[in-house]
Amino acid sequence: MQASVGDRLVIHGKTVESPDRSGEVLEVHGTDGAPPYLVRFDDGHETLVYPGTDTVIRHADA
């Protein structure tokens, strides 16, 4: 998985009741776009994310 600053991370809910979470990649801490990523979620919460298989990256338009 590779991301760049400005890309969007979407973490799909694990159950029917759990909504998807999405946020903007603020920093990339791995080499060559690899995780972990500092992400600001839409609710304003910022955290370091090690994405799992339930995560999709939506690349920002170049």
Side-chain angles (χ1 to χ4, degrees):
M1 180 172 288
Q2 293 183 324
S4 300
V5 172
D7 288 350
R8 304 268 312 157
L9 228 66
V10 178
I11 301 173
H12 296 292
K14 294 182 180 181
T15 63
V16 174
E17 298 85 19
S18 299
D20 292 350
R21 295 181 62 208
S22 64
E24 179 182 358
V25 176
L26 302 177
E27 297 176 2
V28 177
H29 290 263
T31 57
D32 297 323
Y37 308 118
L38 179 65
V39 176
R40 179 184 301 131
F41 288 96
D42 294 339
D43 64 1
H45 179 79
E46 292 183 14
T47 191
L48 199 59
V49 175
Y50 291 83
T53 57
D54 56 347
T55 305
V56 175
I57 295 176
R58 295 195 178 138
H59 298 284
D61 293 332

